[in-house]
Amino acid sequence: MITITMPAMDVSIEKQSNPQMSNIYGFTDFHLINREKGGIFLFYNDRQELLFVGKARKLRPRIKKHFEDTVSPMKNHRDEVATIEVYLVEDAVEREIYETYIINKYRAKYNVEKVLYK
């Protein structure tokens, strides 16, 4: 059996209920997310239920894209996201493994691809 150990979380940002600064769906702290490094990100709702898991070569632009484009699986659920967790993982193969593992172990609600359970 293979044992997968999650890396340490690098950044967690919370949605603000009444943001005073420029924001995207209530999130103002995107500057805390590394722009140039790769990794995985997890979207949670206010009950700490896992909504979506993604991976990216460049984290900040990819995460922002989920809140802006029209083809994201999150496009109809953006308002549900209350917390974003970011884990830096530079190796592309490791990112793929972590993403698939988390989706299936914690049953991410809006990941429809890579689901091995039914």
Side-chain angles (χ1 to χ4, degrees), residues 24-40:
I24 299 173
Y25 285 87
F27 291 96
T28 60
D29 295 327
F30 280 106
H31 66 281
L32 298 175
I33 300 170
N34 194 302
R35 180 187 305 266
E36 298 300 320
K37 298 223 178 201
I40 56 173

Side-chain angles (χ1 to χ4, degrees), residues 2 21 41 45 52 67 71 85 88 108:
I2 298 172
M21 300 168 44
F41 54 90
N45 65 14
F52 186 80
F67 290 96
V71 295
E85 290 183 358
L88 295 180

Side-chain angles (χ1 to χ4, degrees), residues 11-13 27 30 41-43 63 67 81-86:
V11 177
S12 178
I13 61 174
F27 291 96
F30 280 106
F41 54 90
L42 288 68
F43 293 160
I63 292 170
F67 290 96
V81 180
T83 305
I84 301 171
E85 290 183 358
V86 176

Side-chain angles (χ1 to χ4, degrees), residues 7-26:
M9 180 178 43
D10 291 283
V11 177
S12 178
I13 61 174
E14 302 283 326
K15 181 184 229 175
Q16 297 179 7
S17 58
N18 190 11
Q20 301 299 312
M21 300 168 44
S22 174
N23 71 88
I24 299 173
Y25 285 87

Side-chain angles (χ1 to χ4, degrees), residues 52 62 64-78 110 112-113:
F52 186 80
R62 184 68 188 112
K64 282 185 164 183
K65 195 168 190 157
H66 277 288
F67 290 96
E68 296 167 347
D69 73 15
T70 58
V71 295
S72 168
M74 291 299 296
K75 69 181 176 195
N76 297 323
H77 312 288
R78 294 174 177 140
Y110 299 122
V112 291
E113 301 165 356

